[in-house]
């Protein structure tokens, strides 16, 4: 799962759009505040948006909102769930590292992911992860986007977790 900091490496239209929006909301600050983000201004992006927050110890990411297109592609709505419940924190899964880097360095993290689909092929998509403050200087939340490039196959990235969660819900 490669990630990078430079928007020039990003091909995904939706990631670039959220990047430009996030930049426009900085108003001279390193990181925009959550209050500056108006969903009405990014309406076309909302199905691909994830809103999350971190907590520690240990460092964890909890999803506050998961867009409908993300839910469709992953096969589940993981709103209210923690990232470590979804995916292991191992070398191949850099999500925790990317969130921590965005928080600590107060910068967007961009990247690409290749995941298996339920049809058995591989699917590549790009993402953008953008830090937000909550009425102060500290990064407390993130707004993220996943750009599937017009394809929306059902992925197997979370497939093994669906049945146990549905049983708990």
């Amino acid at each position: 799962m490669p990630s990078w900091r430079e928007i020039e490496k990003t091909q995904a239209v939706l990631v670039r759009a959220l990047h430009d929006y996030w930049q426009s909301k900085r108003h001279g600050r390193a990181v925009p505040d959550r209050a500056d983000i108006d969903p009405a201004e990014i309406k076309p992006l909302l199905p691909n948006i994830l809103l999350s927050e971190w907590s520690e110890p240990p460092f964890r990411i909890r999803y506050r909102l998961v867009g409908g297109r993300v839910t469709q592609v992953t096969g589940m709505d993981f709103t209210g769930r923690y990232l470590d419940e979804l995916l292991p924190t191992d070398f191949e899964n850099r999500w925790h590292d990317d969130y921590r880097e965005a928080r600590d360095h107060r910068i967007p993290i961009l990247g690409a992911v290749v995941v298996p689909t339920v049809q058995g092929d591989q699917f590549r998509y790009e993402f953008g992860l953008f830090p937000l403050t909550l009425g102060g200087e500290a990064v407390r939340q993130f707004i993220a986007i996943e750009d599937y490039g017009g394809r929306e196959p059902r992925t197997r990235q979370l497939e093994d977790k669906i049945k146990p969660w549905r049983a708990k819900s």
Side-chain angles (χ1 to χ4, degrees), residues 2 5 22 26 32 50 54 61 64 66 72 88 92 95 97 121 125 132 141-142 146-147:
R5 297 177 179 190
W22 183 86
R26 288 177 53 208
L50 301 98
W54 66 270
I61 298 296
R64 297 175 53 89
V66 177
Q72 181 180 349
E92 289 186 20
W95 287 114
D97 296 336
D121 61 342
Y125 67 90
L132 298 170
Q141 289 187 342
F142 306 91
E146 294 183 349
D147 188 331

Side-chain angles (χ1 to χ4, degrees), residues 89-148:
T89 56
D90 59 20
F91 176 74
E92 289 186 20
N93 173 25
R94 289 192 29 92
W95 287 114
H96 286 88
D97 296 336
D98 288 341
Y99 276 101
R100 190 175 280 121
E101 184 176 359
R103 180 197 66 178
D104 294 349
H105 296 283
R106 305 167 60 83
I107 58 169
I109 301 297
L110 312 162
V113 180
V114 176
V115 295
T117 69
V118 295
Q119 292 80 23
D121 61 342
Q122 296 289 306
F123 174 61
R124 181 187 181 277
Y125 67 90
E126 289 190 15
F127 69 90
L129 175 60
F130 304 87
L132 298 170
T133 60
L134 277 177
E137 291 296 313
V139 171
R140 297 298 314 154
Q141 289 187 342
F142 306 91
I143 187 169
I145 192 160
E146 294 183 349
D147 188 331
Y148 307 121

Side-chain angles (χ1 to χ4, degrees), residues 24-83:
S24 77
K25 296 301 180 176
R26 288 177 53 208
H27 304 296
R29 301 168 294 188
V31 175
D33 194 80
R34 169 63 183 91
D36 296 327
I37 306 300
D38 181 355
E41 295 176 341
I42 55 173
K43 193 171 182 176
L45 306 179
L46 294 180
N48 294 67
I49 292 285
L50 301 98
L51 188 62
S52 60
E53 62 193 2
W54 66 270
S55 62
E56 65 182 358
F59 182 79
R60 294 184 86 191
I61 298 296
R62 182 176 153 288
Y63 291 98
R64 297 175 53 89
L65 173 94
V66 177
R69 191 161 294 127
V70 176
T71 298
Q72 181 180 349
V73 168
T74 60
M76 63 185 304
D77 181 359
F78 47 94
T79 300
R81 302 291 184 164
Y82 286 90
L83 176 59

